[in-house]
Amino acid sequence: MAKPTTCVYARDVAGNVRAFTGGNGDMATYINGVANGGFESANFNSWSTGGALPVSIVPPAPQPPDVGLYSASLGARLWPKPARTPDRARGIGRLRQTVRLPERGDWPVIYLGLRYRIYTYDVMWSDYFQEYIDTFDVYLLDSAGVQLAHLLRDGNPDRNLIGPGRPVVDLGWKEVNLDISQFAGQTVQIVMANANRRDQIYNTWTIVDNVSITAPGRRVTFYPA
């Protein structure tokens, strides 16, 4: 059977159409390896969830451009008032997905990208306890669950913003592209976790969206809708 042939054409602003000849045969397409990274299926298809804190699908309000209709929420979103009660768990809310990264020879740079928004009544680090309190973290594990890299840790650094009667601290939408090129060609687990470590009074939760693996550079990268 003959190999299929794909013809690519380009149209300029004047409407002229001709065959695309760029690239000298060195063109390729990388399809985002993260499945359901925008959570537009309105469920956690292709993801596994875990931890003591709730993980749910929510509308990403207030919604930024090109995020879509749904996001993932990690952690307890709202508690009625600051009070220690048994039903308020300490621990983490976690999302995990296993992916195969592209080969380094084909793609010079590989990024894990995502958008996230942290809401918190607590601090990231406590000088008093000398430990991390509430954070959002991104890890890369190997296929056996051994940590390869701790890629991101974020949270509220300002102690002056929290306390009894203080409003929730909204850290706003952030977008990151984390270089994971050194793990090219490996099967890895992407893990995102919202952690409430010390108390059951001041909670933190994180909205996550647009999780993707991209490989920009000398080749063409395609981002599926």
Side-chain angles (χ1 to χ4, degrees):
M1 179 182 294
K3 293 183 178 180
T5 300
T6 301
C7 296
V8 179
Y9 294 88
R11 182 190 302 271
D12 65 19
V13 293
N16 302 307
V17 178
R18 67 176 58 188
F20 176 69
T21 58
N24 298 319
D26 189 28
M27 302 299 291
T29 298
Y30 174 66
I31 304 298
N32 177 12
V34 176
N36 192 25
F39 307 102
E40 292 307 295
S41 63
N43 56 41
F44 288 117
N45 284 349
S46 302
W47 294 93
S48 63
T49 63
L53 301 181
V55 178
S56 58
I57 296 290
V58 297
Q63 183 172 323
D66 67 30
V67 159
L69 298 177
Y70 300 101
S71 297
S73 175
L74 285 63
R77 290 172 61 82
L78 290 175
W79 289 337
K81 60 182 179 179
R84 184 177 286 105
T85 58
D87 61 330
R88 295 180 181 174
R90 288 177 293 181
I92 65 170
R94 181 183 62 237
L95 275 175
R96 184 193 308 254
Q97 185 174 145
T98 299
V99 300
R100 174 75 177 180
L101 299 180
E103 298 292 337
R104 182 67 178 269
D106 294 331
W107 309 100
V109 183
I110 304 168
Y111 292 114
L112 170 62
L114 66 143
R115 283 184 171 180
Y116 66 95
R117 186 170 192 161
I118 299 172
Y119 295 87
T120 182
Y121 290 97
D122 216 333
V123 289
M124 177 171 63
W125 170 263
S126 169
D127 289 331
Y128 179 82
F129 292 111
Q130 286 294 294
E131 65 181 37
Y132 285 101
I133 306 298
D134 286 11
T135 61
F136 171 64
D137 296 86
V138 180
Y139 303 90
L140 210 63
L141 312 182
D142 68 13
S143 57
V146 177
Q147 182 175 310
L148 297 172
H150 187 177
L151 299 171
L152 175 71
R153 171 162 284 170
D154 199 0
N156 169 35
D158 191 347
R159 176 68 179 81
N160 296 318
L161 297 178
I162 68 164
R166 301 299 297 269
V168 64
V169 179
D170 177 1
L171 297 181
W173 282 103
K174 299 181 182 181
E175 184 172 4
V176 294
N177 287 287
L178 307 167
D179 190 340
I180 55 174
S181 305
Q182 69 185 98
F183 307 108
Q186 298 185 39
T187 297
V188 299
Q189 300 180 55
I190 300 167
V191 178
M192 299 174 292
N194 180 95
N196 291 353
R197 291 182 177 84
R198 174 158 283 274
D199 59 54
Q200 295 167 284
I201 301 176
Y202 300 112
N203 63 313
T204 296
W205 68 100
T206 305
I207 309 300
V208 177
D209 213 320
N210 287 11
V211 185
S212 65
I213 294 174
T214 59
R218 62 184 176 85
R219 293 173 180 257
V220 175
T221 303
F222 171 66
Y223 304 88

